[in-house]
Amino acid sequence: MNEPVKIFASMMCANWCNLERDIRELESAGIDGLHFDIMDGHFVPNLTMGFDVVRSLRQITQLPFDVHLMVEEPERYIDRFVEIGVQFISVHFESTYHVHRAIKQVKDAGVSAIVAINPATPPCVIDYLLEDVDGVLVMTVNPGFAGQKVVLSAVRKIADVKERIRRIGNDAFIQVDGNVSFELAPTMIRNGANILVGGTSSVFVKGMSLSESVKKIRQIVANTVVGLRV
Ligand code: DX5
Ligand code: ZN
């Protein structure tokens, strides 16, 4: 993926009383996609939105939808998100005995398939999946909640994942999710991140409008990317 670094907004951090208003503001701010955290209270100790919310929002915007499945037995939910018309689905390596089968299920449906790994999961688990995925999601917090502190070893892991992708010689992208802050984003990008998921850390920031925060994270991304080219 040799495109500029993209920024997705984590919708669990949006204003749930005004989702449409937030989406309009994110659109005008030039956000690249909307990230939906789907939780089942089992794989992670929290609940968020389900099919109906994502389906309703699908009717009001053309932005790419990225569904992050933090659920046990993800195979049971993939086809219904495909039907809704999402563009990316990530499946956690830790959430199923047969992650390869689940990834294939996403790919065979024509949707970009992402394998997600928790902070404690070593990067080598992706080696035999890389030829079948479109991307790898490196979680830099333990999934389940917004507003958590980064796990620094997982930020280092981004570089390891990047190296494995290079060694295998494919063009899988790296998505990073969890405390993607203004301060940490440059290191994440230098380590190889291609898509940043911003929640309370860089998009839905207290005291800033969505246009201000998206502008700021974009500027940081642009400065970092220019630095990389030198
Ligand atoms: C955590 C979610 C993230 C989260 C990111 O389980 O996957 O998308 O909302 O939000 P912040 O930026 O607050 O870490
Ligand atoms: Zn997420």
Side-chain angles (χ1 to χ4, degrees):
M1 199 190 201
N2 290 321
E3 299 164 36
V5 175
K6 291 187 186 306
I7 301 157
F8 286 4
S10 175
M11 294 306 288
M12 72 178 283
C13 305
N15 180 345
W16 283 57
C17 296
N18 287 292
L19 286 173
E20 181 165 13
R21 196 181 65 193
D22 275 8
I23 289 176
R24 295 290 168 247
E25 199 171 337
L26 288 166
E27 284 175 334
S28 345
I31 201 79
D32 297 303
L34 302 182
H35 177 91
F36 295 93
D37 288 302
I38 310 297
M39 305 185 183
D40 67 350
H42 291 275
F43 181 67
V44 291
N46 199 5
L47 295 165
T48 46
M49 62 202 102
F51 302 115
D52 294 338
V53 173
V54 179
R55 187 182 299 107
S56 306
L57 297 177
R58 182 68 293 178
Q59 315 305 315
I60 64 158
T61 177
Q62 300 298 314
L63 282 170
F65 275 22
D66 171 34
V67 167
H68 178 189
L69 291 179
M70 283 164 275
V71 299
E72 287 181 359
E73 297 185 71
E75 299 84 350
R76 295 171 63 197
Y77 307 96
I78 290 169
D79 291 349
R80 292 182 65 188
F81 281 112
V82 169
E83 272 166 35
I84 289 172
V86 306
Q87 281 63 46
F88 303 83
I89 295 181
S90 50
V91 175
H92 266 267
F93 170 81
E94 308 84 0
S95 68
T96 169
Y97 291 125
H98 299 291
V99 69
H100 184 268
R101 182 180 288 148
I103 288 293
K104 284 286 288 173
Q105 195 181 338
V106 175
K107 276 224 79 133
D108 291 349
V111 170
S112 290
I114 306 176
V115 60
I117 52 175
N118 279 339
T121 301
C124 59
V125 303
I126 66 169
D127 285 1
Y128 294 92
L129 283 168
L130 273 180
E131 57 203 82
D132 291 303
V133 297
D134 295 288
V136 180
L137 164 52
V138 179
M139 288 301 300
T140 40
V141 299
N142 286 294
F145 300 94
Q148 302 181 82
K149 199 169 165 287
V150 74
V151 177
L152 276 176
S153 55
V155 178
R156 292 200 298 274
K157 187 166 54 178
I158 301 166
D160 197 336
V161 167
K162 181 77 185 169
E163 176 54 21
R164 281 167 195 279
I165 293 171
R166 194 198 57 77
R167 219 182 297 151
I168 301 239
N170 78 1
D171 59 355
F173 59 81
I174 300 179
Q175 185 178 47
V176 178
D177 185 10
N179 199 187
V180 179
S181 61
F182 298 131
E183 295 73 25
L184 287 165
T187 308
M188 291 167 166
I189 295 167
R190 275 187 231 109
N191 285 0
N194 307 106
I195 300 177
L196 302 176
V197 177
T200 61
S201 317
S202 49
V203 174
F204 299 94
V205 183
K206 261 207 174 102
M208 285 180 108
S209 71
L210 292 176
S211 352
E212 287 166 349
S213 59
V214 173
K215 193 168 167 204
K216 180 161 177 183
I217 185 71
R218 272 230 181 283
Q219 193 56 56
I220 289 170
V221 166
N223 293 344
T224 311
V225 172
V226 166
L228 285 181
R229 290 211 188 95
V230 174

